[in-house]
mmCIF file of all heavy atoms in Angstrom:
data_model
loop_
_atom_site.group_PDB
_atom_site.id
_atom_site.type_symbol
_atom_site.label_atom_id
_atom_site.label_comp_id
_atom_site.label_asym_id
_atom_site.label_seq_id
_atom_site.Cartn_x
_atom_site.Cartn_y
_atom_site.Cartn_z
ATOM 1 N N THR A 120 -3.620 38.962 79.978
ATOM 2 C CA THR A 120 -2.839 38.098 78.973
ATOM 3 C C THR A 120 -2.613 38.759 77.706
ATOM 4 O O THR A 120 -3.481 39.393 77.128
ATOM 5 C CB THR A 120 -3.710 36.814 78.770
ATOM 6 O OG1 THR A 120 -4.130 36.318 79.935
ATOM 7 C CG2 THR A 120 -3.034 35.840 77.794
ATOM 8 N N ASN A 121 -1.378 38.650 77.202
ATOM 9 C CA ASN A 121 -0.959 39.195 75.955
ATOM 10 C C ASN A 121 -1.406 38.299 74.846
ATOM 11 O O ASN A 121 -0.659 37.374 74.340
ATOM 12 C CB ASN A 121 0.592 39.464 75.928
ATOM 13 C CG ASN A 121 0.999 40.406 74.859
ATOM 14 O OD1 ASN A 121 0.109 40.557 73.950
ATOM 15 N ND2 ASN A 121 2.127 40.746 74.774
ATOM 16 N N ILE A 122 -2.653 38.565 74.291
ATOM 17 C CA ILE A 122 -3.185 37.771 73.215
ATOM 18 C C ILE A 122 -2.652 37.946 71.813
ATOM 19 O O ILE A 122 -2.280 37.141 71.111
ATOM 20 C CB ILE A 122 -4.743 37.917 73.249
ATOM 21 C CG1 ILE A 122 -5.307 37.523 74.508
ATOM 22 C CG2 ILE A 122 -5.287 37.096 72.109
ATOM 23 C CD1 ILE A 122 -6.854 37.758 74.621
ATOM 24 N N LYS A 123 -2.413 39.273 71.567
ATOM 25 C CA LYS A 123 -2.007 39.661 70.088
ATOM 26 C C LYS A 123 -0.666 38.968 69.612
ATOM 27 O O LYS A 123 -0.620 38.413 68.612
ATOM 28 C CB LYS A 123 -1.788 41.092 69.953
ATOM 29 C CG LYS A 123 -3.123 41.816 70.110
ATOM 30 C CD LYS A 123 -3.006 43.339 69.875
ATOM 31 C CE LYS A 123 -4.242 44.079 69.905
ATOM 32 N NZ LYS A 123 -4.193 45.469 69.669
ATOM 33 N N PRO A 124 0.455 38.936 70.461
ATOM 34 C CA PRO A 124 1.606 38.275 69.991
ATOM 35 C C PRO A 124 1.434 36.795 69.812
ATOM 36 O O PRO A 124 1.972 36.142 68.915
ATOM 37 C CB PRO A 124 2.629 38.555 71.181
ATOM 38 C CG PRO A 124 2.127 39.779 71.813
ATOM 39 C CD PRO A 124 0.658 39.727 71.765
ATOM 40 N N THR A 125 0.602 36.170 70.590
ATOM 41 C CA THR A 125 0.426 34.775 70.558
ATOM 42 C C THR A 125 -0.438 34.436 69.221
ATOM 43 O O THR A 125 0.006 33.517 68.531
ATOM 44 C CB THR A 125 -0.450 34.258 71.715
ATOM 45 O OG1 THR A 125 0.223 34.538 72.916
ATOM 46 C CG2 THR A 125 -0.737 32.840 71.635
ATOM 47 N N MET A 126 -1.387 35.164 68.872
ATOM 48 C CA MET A 126 -2.217 34.998 67.653
ATOM 49 C C MET A 126 -1.295 35.228 66.397
ATOM 50 O O MET A 126 -1.412 34.561 65.460
ATOM 51 C CB MET A 126 -3.350 35.965 67.616
ATOM 52 C CG MET A 126 -4.374 35.582 68.574
ATOM 53 S SD MET A 126 -5.144 34.095 68.222
ATOM 54 C CE MET A 126 -5.937 34.295 66.672
ATOM 55 N N LYS A 127 -0.382 36.238 66.519
ATOM 56 C CA LYS A 127 0.560 36.490 65.427
ATOM 57 C C LYS A 127 1.445 35.304 65.123
ATOM 58 O O LYS A 127 1.681 34.956 63.984
ATOM 59 C CB LYS A 127 1.307 37.771 65.667
ATOM 60 C CG LYS A 127 2.286 38.208 64.549
ATOM 61 C CD LYS A 127 2.989 39.499 64.920
ATOM 62 C CE LYS A 127 3.769 40.012 63.778
ATOM 63 N NZ LYS A 127 4.541 41.130 64.119
ATOM 64 N N TYR A 128 1.924 34.760 66.241
ATOM 65 C CA TYR A 128 2.854 33.630 66.172
ATOM 66 C C TYR A 128 2.110 32.398 65.453
ATOM 67 O O TYR A 128 2.563 31.738 64.616
ATOM 68 C CB TYR A 128 3.245 33.115 67.566
ATOM 69 C CG TYR A 128 4.052 31.938 67.548
ATOM 70 C CD1 TYR A 128 5.377 31.843 67.155
ATOM 71 C CD2 TYR A 128 3.321 30.782 67.944
ATOM 72 C CE1 TYR A 128 5.998 30.647 67.183
ATOM 73 C CE2 TYR A 128 3.987 29.485 67.908
ATOM 74 C CZ TYR A 128 5.379 29.502 67.513
ATOM 75 O OH TYR A 128 6.056 28.288 67.568
ATOM 76 N N VAL A 129 0.822 32.176 65.858
ATOM 77 C CA VAL A 129 0.097 31.132 65.346
ATOM 78 C C VAL A 129 -0.208 31.333 63.859
ATOM 79 O O VAL A 129 -0.067 30.400 62.996
ATOM 80 C CB VAL A 129 -1.268 31.015 66.041
ATOM 81 C CG1 VAL A 129 -2.192 29.968 65.351
ATOM 82 C CG2 VAL A 129 -1.107 30.510 67.473
ATOM 83 N N VAL A 130 -0.564 32.554 63.477
ATOM 84 C CA VAL A 130 -0.765 32.876 62.014
ATOM 85 C C VAL A 130 0.409 32.581 61.161
ATOM 86 O O VAL A 130 0.410 32.050 60.139
ATOM 87 C CB VAL A 130 -1.418 34.255 61.842
ATOM 88 C CG1 VAL A 130 -1.277 34.662 60.429
ATOM 89 C CG2 VAL A 130 -2.673 34.464 62.460
ATOM 90 N N ASN A 131 1.594 33.126 61.737
ATOM 91 C CA ASN A 131 2.824 32.949 61.002
ATOM 92 C C ASN A 131 3.176 31.536 60.844
ATOM 93 O O ASN A 131 3.774 31.045 59.806
ATOM 94 C CB ASN A 131 3.966 33.716 61.638
ATOM 95 C CG ASN A 131 3.826 35.197 61.539
ATOM 96 O OD1 ASN A 131 3.132 35.558 60.561
ATOM 97 N ND2 ASN A 131 4.441 35.935 62.375
#
Side-chain angles (χ1 to χ4, degrees):
T120 304
N121 191 352
I122 299 177
K123 290 184 178 180
T125 302
M126 289 298 294
K127 183 177 182 181
Y128 171 79
V129 172
V130 170
N131 289 339

